[in-house]
């Protein structure tokens, strides 16, 4: 089994299905003296944080609530759904299935995982810049998106490196 | 034996990295707190600080690059957790197991050294025994992880794996 591939799948799972990673979890609120499961730190896994609006692989989150990329008829949102949510889901499937197969198909699936993550990274930089006016409401200049990148982007960037190592070291019988 | 030790040290590492308080009997103020050390009403964890039960200054939530040190320390303990599981798996190459044990020992020694220096700077040297009231369960658990990894490496070297 390709363990790095499995770790890569778990990391993509975290970024695709969670809004944050809970750190410092507690089961009892000492202030209100009630049973409560919460965490002191919420490490956001959003790709971009612009004016307190967070943009994830699955959609957007602001003070008013959350919205999935697919819940919009706007073209940039649909393209974001394809390049972020669908590719994210495919990356999980590719790495989960690929990590269990010790043959050329497994290696090919690991390469697809790498490519999926690569296109997510590419879209986060180029796509968000091209469609900035429709998605963020402000026209971004070239490379301006780099000032608003959040933890999620860097987690996926690390995951991309991990998936490349997983692809190189994939065991073949 | 090594496999069990690997699982135990990974569970301990994840507890320190992710959990703050587990209540046993809240009415009697009986709880397991995974803090590294505590002074007055402030509890210092590997991921940040709690003051009077409320999250206070947390360098992890700060902007780049202030958060780098906190994230680095947190990733180190997460790494111990993941690598301990990997060493416990049956099909891991013995050469890799040796490297991971060595890395775990190195990282936990580094963490212990960092927090010992921090505690020593906060310590009143006229009352040295005060150190035992400052240190929390988290500190001792990192020490336990270090000892478990040294023990595992010892057993591993004794066996015929290498």
């Amino acid at each position: 089994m390709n363990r790095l591939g499995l770790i890569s799948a778990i990391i993509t799972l975290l970024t695709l299905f969670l809004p944050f990673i809970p750190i410092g979890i507690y089961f009892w609120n000492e202030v209100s003296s009630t049973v409560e499961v919460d965490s002191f730190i919420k490490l956001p896994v959003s790709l971009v944080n612009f004016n307190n609006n967070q943009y994830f692989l699955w959609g957007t989150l602001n003070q008013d609530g959350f919205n999935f990329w697919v819940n919009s008829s706007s073209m940039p949102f649909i393209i974001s759904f394809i390049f972020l949510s669908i590719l994210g889901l495919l990356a999980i499937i590719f790495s989960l299935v690929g990590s269990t197969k010790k043959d050329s198909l497994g290696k090919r699936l690991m390469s697809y995982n790498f490519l999926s993550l690569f296109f997510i990274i590419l879209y986060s930089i180029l796509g968000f810049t091209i469609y900035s006016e429709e998605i963020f409401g402000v026209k971004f200049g070239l490379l301006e998106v780099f000032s608003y990148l959040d933890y999620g982007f860097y987690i996926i960037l690390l995951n991309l490196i991990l998936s490349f190592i997983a692809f190189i070291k994939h065991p073949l019988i | 034996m090594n496999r069990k030790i690997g699982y135990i040290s990974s569970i301990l590492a994840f507890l320190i990295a992710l959990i703050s308080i587990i209540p046993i009997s809240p009415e009697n103020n009986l709880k397991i707190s995974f803090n590294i050390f505590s002074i007055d009403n402030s509890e210092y964890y590997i991921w940040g600080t709690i003051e009077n039960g409320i999250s206070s200054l947390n360098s992890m939530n700060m902007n780049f690059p202030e958060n780098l040190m906190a994230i680095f320390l947190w990733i180190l303990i997460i790494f111990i957790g993941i690598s301990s599981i990997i060493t416990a798996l049956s099909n891991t190459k013995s050469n890799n197991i040796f490297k991971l044990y060595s890395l775990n020992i190195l990282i936990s020694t580094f963490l212990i050294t960092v927090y010992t220096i921090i505690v020593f700077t906060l310590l009143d040297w006229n009352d040295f025994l005060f150190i035992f009231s400052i240190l929390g369960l988290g500190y001792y658990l990192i020490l336990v992880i270090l000892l478990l990894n040294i023990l595992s490496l010892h057993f591993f070297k004794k066996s015929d794996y290498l």
Side-chain angles (χ1 to χ4, degrees):
Chain A
M1 183 166 193
N2 190 339
R3 281 185 213 104
L4 287 176
L6 189 69
I7 294 171
S8 168
I10 293 168
I11 294 172
T12 320
L13 262 169
L14 289 176
T15 48
L16 185 61
F17 292 109
L18 291 181
F20 57 82
I21 298 171
I23 303 170
I25 302 164
Y26 59 87
F27 305 91
W28 176 261
N29 192 329
E30 289 190 0
V31 180
S32 60
S33 293
T34 49
V35 177
E36 181 183 312
V37 182
D38 203 350
S39 68
F40 286 109
I41 294 183
K42 295 169 174 66
L43 193 75
V45 291
S46 52
L47 296 168
V48 172
N49 190 337
F50 180 72
N51 288 345
N52 287 329
N53 292 343
Q54 292 173 298
Y55 298 83
F56 298 88
L57 284 182
W58 47 266
T60 62
L61 182 72
N62 54 29
Q63 287 90 346
D64 304 327
F66 66 91
N67 188 31
F68 295 112
W69 291 118
V70 74
N71 282 357
S72 176
S73 54
S74 165
M75 201 56 188
F77 279 72
I78 300 296
I79 293 171
S80 299
F81 171 70
I82 295 165
F83 272 94
L84 299 177
S85 307
I86 298 284
L87 275 185
L89 198 66
L90 285 175
I92 294 166
I93 296 166
F94 289 148
S95 52
L96 274 181
V97 179
S99 60
T100 55
K101 290 190 181 295
K102 289 182 181 179
D103 51 12
S104 58
L105 174 69
K107 194 162 177 102
R108 222 163 42 231
L109 287 172
M110 294 313 294
S111 74
Y112 294 158
N113 172 41
F114 170 77
L115 284 173
S116 307
L117 292 172
F118 179 71
F119 279 113
I120 288 173
I121 292 283
L122 215 61
Y123 182 79
S124 307
I125 297 164
L126 297 177
F128 278 165
T129 306
I130 293 164
Y131 299 117
S132 55
E133 203 159 0
E134 292 86 347
I135 295 172
F136 304 103
V138 179
K139 183 83 183 149
F140 279 174
L142 193 68
L143 306 180
E144 199 183 332
V145 73
F146 278 98
S147 350
Y148 306 112
L149 292 177
D150 209 3
Y151 289 109
F153 179 84
Y154 298 107
I155 291 171
I156 292 172
L157 199 64
L158 283 175
N159 197 9
L160 181 77
I161 298 165
L162 199 71
S163 67
F164 184 68
I165 300 168
F167 165 66
I168 296 288
K169 293 200 163 187
H170 189 77
L172 291 171
I173 298 171
Chain B
M1 181 68 177
N2 273 10
R3 214 172 282 177
K4 282 173 197 161
I5 290 176
Y7 285 126
I8 292 169
S9 57
S10 80
I11 290 168
L12 293 181
F14 281 122
L15 281 175
I16 298 168
L18 297 173
I19 308 288
S20 62
I21 297 160
I22 296 176
I24 304 296
S25 172
E27 298 84 23
N28 303 321
N29 201 22
L30 194 63
K31 60 185 182 183
I32 302 172
S33 177
F34 293 94
N35 60 347
I36 306 289
F37 57 92
S38 61
I39 295 174
D40 300 329
N41 293 325
S42 305
E43 290 180 286
Y44 297 84
Y45 294 83
I46 203 141
W47 40 263
T49 315
I50 300 176
E51 212 165 317
N52 294 320
I54 301 165
S55 175
S56 61
L57 179 74
N58 281 317
S59 42
M60 235 170 171
N61 277 351
M62 286 180 175
N63 291 327
F64 178 84
E66 289 94 337
N67 55 2
L68 281 182
M69 188 51 81
I71 289 175
F72 173 68
L73 291 175
W74 186 72
I75 283 176
L76 283 184
I77 203 86
I78 287 282
F79 177 83
I80 292 177
I82 294 170
S83 64
S84 298
I85 291 177
I86 293 172
T87 56
L89 296 173
S90 57
N91 52 351
T92 308
K93 287 178 190 164
S94 53
N95 194 28
N96 291 348
I97 293 178
F98 180 77
K99 282 179 197 164
L100 287 173
Y101 280 141
S102 311
L103 259 177
N104 284 354
I105 291 169
L106 202 73
I107 292 169
S108 38
T109 309
F110 170 74
L111 289 173
I112 283 289
T113 312
V114 166
Y115 287 112
T116 307
I117 291 168
I118 294 171
V119 168
F120 275 8
T121 55
L122 297 168
L123 196 65
D124 176 14
W125 287 91
N126 295 324
D127 183 12
F128 187 75
L129 289 177
F130 184 61
I131 194 168
F132 294 106
S133 58
I134 290 178
L135 294 176
L137 183 65
Y139 184 89
Y140 295 115
L141 286 183
I142 298 173
L143 213 58
V144 168
I145 290 170
L146 174 65
L147 291 175
L148 285 176
N149 277 294
I150 291 171
L151 210 66
S152 302
L153 190 67
H154 175 72
F155 284 133
F156 185 70
K157 274 184 174 174
K158 264 193 161 181
S159 63
D160 299 328
Y161 284 118
L162 277 174

